[in-house]
Amino acid sequence: MENARVIQADFMQEKPSEKVDTIFMSLVLIHIPETKTILQTLYDTLNDGGELVIVDFDKNENIDPPKVHNGFKHNELKTLLADVGFQSIDIQTFHHGKNLLMNQDASLFMATCRKNNLY
């Protein structure tokens, strides 16, 4: 792809100086304790009309991990995304599997949303 490049950064330590059109996170949000803070940083990093795509685990009450979330409830994540300014928020579970999260059955969702929806 000629019009894409990867930016590697710890967004909890420093905000990137450049703006981007798309941010894709897969199994990352579950590891960040300050969910709303990172969502705000991601929002600030996007250009107007930019899209955030998150793939992560649905909430699993049977798991109590010491250093990560035990997944996310769709309605709670939607509220956090809306609170920081995202629009056109859609969250759908797309996969259920055995032993996916800490040797427990789990499901994965994909969330998509836009900054200042231009479409």
Side-chain angles (χ1 to χ4, degrees):
M1 296 174 73
E2 294 179 17
N3 64 342
R5 64 188 172 94
V6 174
I7 298 172
Q8 182 178 347
D10 182 344
F11 284 30
M12 293 303 293
Q13 298 297 320
E14 60 182 291
K15 290 185 180 183
S17 58
E18 5 183 358
K19 298 284 187 178
V20 299
D21 295 321
T22 305
I23 297 172
F24 177 80
M25 301 174 64
S26 180
L27 305 177
V28 173
L29 196 59
I30 198 168
H31 295 281
I32 302 173
E34 303 88 12
T35 305
K36 190 170 184 177
T37 301
I38 192 63
L39 293 176
Q40 184 66 60
T41 300
L42 296 170
Y43 181 88
D44 295 342
T45 303
L46 287 169
N47 287 315
D48 285 347
E51 183 175 36
L52 172 63
V53 179
I54 301 169
V55 173
D56 225 314
F57 288 102
D58 288 314
K59 186 83 161 180
N60 187 332
E61 301 292 347
N62 296 323
I63 299 172
D64 187 22
K67 295 186 177 183
V68 298
H69 296 282
N70 61 348
F72 298 92
K73 291 184 178 180
H74 294 196
N75 60 338
E76 291 174 3
L77 184 56
K78 277 185 180 182
T79 298
L80 287 173
L81 290 164
D83 285 352
V84 300
F86 283 105
Q87 301 173 355
S88 301
I89 302 165
D90 182 55
I91 303 175
Q92 299 290 324
T93 297
F94 70 89
H95 179 72
H96 299 274
K98 300 241 181 245
N99 302 321
L100 288 181
L101 180 60
M102 300 184 74
N103 295 320
Q104 297 290 318
D105 295 355
S107 56
L108 293 162
F109 68 84
M110 182 182 322
T112 58
C113 52
R114 292 202 174 274
K115 176 180 180 177
N116 300 334
N117 196 358
L118 298 176
Y119 308 103

